[in-house]
Amino acid sequence: MVDAQPDLFEPGLNPDVKTSESPRNGLAFHRINHQMTGPASPSGNQKLNVHLYWMPPTEYDRTDIDGALRAFGYKIKNAATDKDTRVVEQTRAGDWAVEISNNPYDSNKVFYNHVSSRADIEDAVDTLVDHFATVGDVYSK
């Protein structure tokens, strides 16, 4: 994703990586936060958060899923609401195979796919990287 929108990220910065099997929110997670400090990134504290969350399905309004929702996706932490709204609109207009949810942790939107296998994760990676490559510039200055 960083390679898909290189102007949003400073080269050489390492992301923050964290895994938890007993977080306060959700059931478990693995995530990275990559600071958006490149020449086209907006001022502030935006971070690309790529994650695999195990969540109760109700947190994502997914009553169609029995058991844990395994949400592999991304969000831009601390993004302006109007930018998230534009990405949601472009996602829906583009007929992307990407789910959209309110973020259970803060006010931003989450773009994700429910995954059940390694093949699902690999497909989701391809889809989400293409999605961010296409719409990620909305998050620039």
Side-chain angles (χ1 to χ4, degrees):
M1 292 180 129
V2 171
D3 291 342
Q5 290 287 347
D7 289 343
L8 294 174
F9 304 93
E10 200 67 45
L13 287 182
N14 291 322
D16 171 48
V17 178
K18 186 171 183 181
T19 300
S20 177
E21 295 178 7
S22 59
R24 292 189 317 256
N25 298 319
L27 304 173
F29 70 83
H30 181 75
R31 61 108 175 112
I32 67 161
N33 283 317
H34 206 297
Q35 191 73 36
M36 296 172 70
T37 57
S41 62
S43 61
N45 191 26
Q46 286 83 8
K47 296 176 184 176
L48 169 66
N49 172 284
V50 179
H51 55 266
L52 177 59
Y53 291 153
W54 285 261
M55 298 290 291
T58 54
E59 291 287 330
Y60 278 62
D61 197 26
R62 292 293 303 269
T63 56
D64 60 310
I65 295 173
D66 187 27
L69 170 72
R70 293 165 302 278
F72 183 80
Y74 78 92
K75 60 190 172 195
I76 305 301
K77 293 172 75 172
N78 304 311
T81 304
D82 65 316
K83 292 184 179 199
D84 265 349
T85 299
R86 281 196 313 223
V87 172
V88 167
E89 290 168 353
Q90 288 182 16
T91 302
R92 290 185 177 140
D95 197 30
W96 285 92
V98 174
E99 299 288 332
I100 302 166
S101 178
N102 290 323
N103 181 353
Y105 301 114
D106 57 45
S107 63
N108 294 111
K109 297 296 182 188
V110 178
F111 306 94
Y112 75 98
N113 284 55
H114 175 64
V115 295
S116 295
S117 67
R118 179 181 177 158
D120 286 352
I121 292 172
E122 290 169 353
D123 289 344
V125 166
D126 292 341
T127 300
L128 294 168
V129 168
D130 288 347
H131 182 261
F132 190 67
T134 303
V135 302
D137 61 340
V138 167
Y139 293 106
S140 64
K141 291 181 185 175

